[in-house]
Amino acid sequence: NRRARTTLARYLIIYFLAHMSEIPEGLPPHAQRAFKGEIWEIWQWEQVQFDGSIKTYERAIRTDSVTAIPLVGDRILIQHQEQPFRGSFISLPGGFREADDPLDDAKRELLEESGYASERWVHYLSWSPPASKLIWKNHFYIAHDCKKIQEMIPDPGEKITLVFIDFDTFLLMADNPTWRHRDLVPTLLRARYEPDKRRALEEALFG
């Protein structure tokens, strides 16, 4: 009856308001977490289709990442890295976001993975997969005028060799199949083939 429907609606409103703060951005308010691991979460919800049928939708959520683009003089610091599961690859220093401010994590990762530190950091971009079933961001920061202040402290599952490359070699990373940062590839390719994009990236790094 009408009274029962009104009562149910009130309970649903109270329930949604109580759980709204737990729902990640980009998901409907009635989504529920089906799985939680160390890095990944799977969320599911029922969605009404155009014909009135109901289908279960789901999205994966991954812990956000941070990445540092460190500058040492006129060189860019990159890593030749090896990990037990991933094997060998090339990357910039970075890792998982753990702090409220991702910049704090970028500073920590750079220091631990290279021994270098910077007093001048600039947020370059935060990238998310477009139109994806994955909710995740990678926060890129440029670390200017880096200085070595300690020895690196890699994790037990990391073997890291530091390499210092020039700007043109950095742009060529887009062609390297072991380059980990596929999210940075469009930026590197545009800088290679579009003079205005090259100037803009050079200005951001060395200006």
Side-chain angles (χ1 to χ4, degrees), residues 17-35:
L17 289 176
H19 290 79
M20 279 284 285
S21 60
E22 302 175 7
I23 305 298
E25 182 180 354
L27 296 180
H30 60 289
Q32 295 186 350
R33 184 168 57 200
F35 168 81

Side-chain angles (χ1 to χ4, degrees), residues 27 34 42-45 56-60 133:
L27 296 180
I42 303 297
W43 287 73
Q44 298 178 333
W45 69 95
T56 299
Y57 282 52
E58 63 182 23
R59 272 190 173 180
K133 292 185 180 295

